[in-house]
Amino acid sequence: MGKIVIATVKGDIHDIGKNLVFMMMEGAGFDVVDLGINNPVENYIGTLETEKPDILGVSALLTTTMPHMRIVIDRLVELQMRDNYGVLVGGAPLNEEFR
Ligand code: B12
């Protein structure tokens, strides 16, 4: 089905929801690379370069760590990598407006 890299952002150790998403995607036939919790932007960029996935999945459960999603997206834009991936964001405090 494709490949997804999924990770919880820097400063955030919540991973139950991310793991459920990862298991469901694996069950649906995706190759999943899970970076776990507390990932600074460098982890995302380095893994995208080595794994070359179709999708990047980013998880945050805290209002204080949600802004790190913006940092990840901004870095992708800066490196002209943003158009290479679909990006999924998730986590209980997110809404459509934030997305
Ligand atoms: C379990 C939990 C913990 C566990 C986490 C264990 C773990 N391994 O994940 C522990 C005890 C460690 C914890 C710690 C903390 N927590 Co906590 N925690 C929760 C709790 C009760 C449930 C979260 C959860 O797992 N839900 C179940 C899963 C299945 O749902 P989910 O995560 O939302 O995931 C679903 C979707 O969001 C989505 N999704 C999630 N990620 C992704 C990613 C992608 C790509 C996609 C597509 C979808 C997706 O799909 C999932 C399936 O539907 C919530 C309260 C709540 N009701 O949400 C508080 C909560 C998130 N925690 C909170 C807080 C404050 C903390 C602490 C700061 C507490 C403290 N003072 O130490 C620390 C944070 C430490 C840190 N640096 O991260 C607050 C956040 C408040 C805020 N405004 O930000 C909450 C809301 C509780 C509260 N009401 O105060 N926590």
Side-chain angles (χ1 to χ4, degrees):
M1 292 291 289
K3 192 189 239 188
I4 177 166
V5 166
I6 190 162
T8 299
V9 295
K10 183 178 175 183
D12 203 320
I13 63 169
H14 294 87
D15 66 356
I16 297 171
K18 169 188 70 61
N19 293 346
L20 285 176
V21 171
F22 140 34
M23 285 184 255
M24 287 188 281
M25 294 200 78
E26 207 165 53
F30 285 86
D31 287 331
V32 182
V33 179
D34 175 28
L35 299 186
I37 56 172
N38 194 20
N39 284 280
V41 62
E42 296 75 25
N43 289 10
Y44 290 87
I45 303 298
T47 308
L48 291 176
E49 282 170 341
T50 52
E51 297 288 345
K52 304 198 185 326
D54 306 289
I55 303 170
L56 171 65
V58 191
S59 184
L61 262 288
L62 299 173
T63 47
T64 49
T65 57
M66 281 165 60
H68 201 78
M69 292 179 155
R70 180 66 186 264
I71 293 174
V72 173
I73 304 286
D74 283 350
R75 186 67 63 83
L76 288 175
V77 171
E78 200 179 298
L79 297 171
Q80 300 187 327
M81 292 167 70
R82 174 63 188 91
D83 293 339
N84 301 347
Y85 314 101
V87 179
L88 295 177
V89 291
L94 276 64
N95 58 26
E96 278 297 309
E97 192 186 357
F98 179 81
R99 179 186 68 83

